[in-house]
Each structure stands twice: as structure tokens, then as C-alpha cells.
Amino acid sequence: MKNKLDAADKILEAVALIAVLGNVFMIAISIQGLPDIIPNHFDLKGTPNQFGSKNSLWAVVAVSVFIYTIAGITSMYPESFNYP
């Protein structure tokens, strides 16, 4: 069974790919201007309560690429997964 994408699916795939690439591009161009230590977590009042390296932002990129890849693989082989 081969999954064929219609026009709406192709548009959504393009939007998702642009979002992932935009994520990579935004972090790549802005990371040089950031301080070495940035807030990683905020409490309910908006006060930072955890700090880390600016390079930890690359984890966001890794997670978005991973999710995009897994979702793409899953959509290519829908018969391999049990959907309700």
C-alpha cells in the first residue's frame, strides 16, 4: 500500500519542513549574540529558576528534527501501525 499525498497534505508537509528549517536557521543566526548562560526554565510568575548554556538550544533543534522524521516515516507506512 503506497500512501499518496493530496494537495492539502503536501501543503502541510511543506509548512512542517519550513518550521523545522526555520527553527534551525533562527538558532544558527542568533546563537552568537546570546550570553553564555541563558534561562532554561521559568516558574509561574515568570521568574527564571534554571539556567544553562546557550548551546542547550540545539536540543530544541534535535527534538524538532526527530519528531519531524518520525512523523514522516510513520505517514509513509501507515499499514505498519495500529491506529484506532
Side-chain angles (χ1 to χ4, degrees):
M1 179 175 156
K2 189 67 176 166
N3 188 15
K4 295 190 181 202
L5 301 177
D6 60 2
D9 292 331
K10 290 179 182 178
I11 290 171
L12 289 174
E13 281 290 328
V15 168
L17 183 60
I18 288 169
V20 169
L21 293 175
N23 191 3
V24 172
F25 181 71
M26 186 183 338
I27 290 180
I29 63 171
S30 65
I31 200 154
Q32 295 299 325
L34 294 174
D36 289 334
I37 298 194
I38 59 171
N40 286 343
H41 191 269
F42 298 87
D43 62 11
L44 293 175
K45 296 177 187 175
T47 309
N49 58 8
Q50 183 180 8
F51 296 88
S53 168
K54 67 180 177 182
N55 291 323
S56 65
L57 291 174
W58 290 110
V60 175
V61 172
V63 169
S64 66
V65 168
F66 177 75
I67 290 173
Y68 179 78
T69 303
I70 294 300
I73 291 170
T74 303
S75 69
M76 289 185 339
Y77 303 105
E79 71 278 0
S80 299
F81 302 94
N82 186 15
Y83 297 113

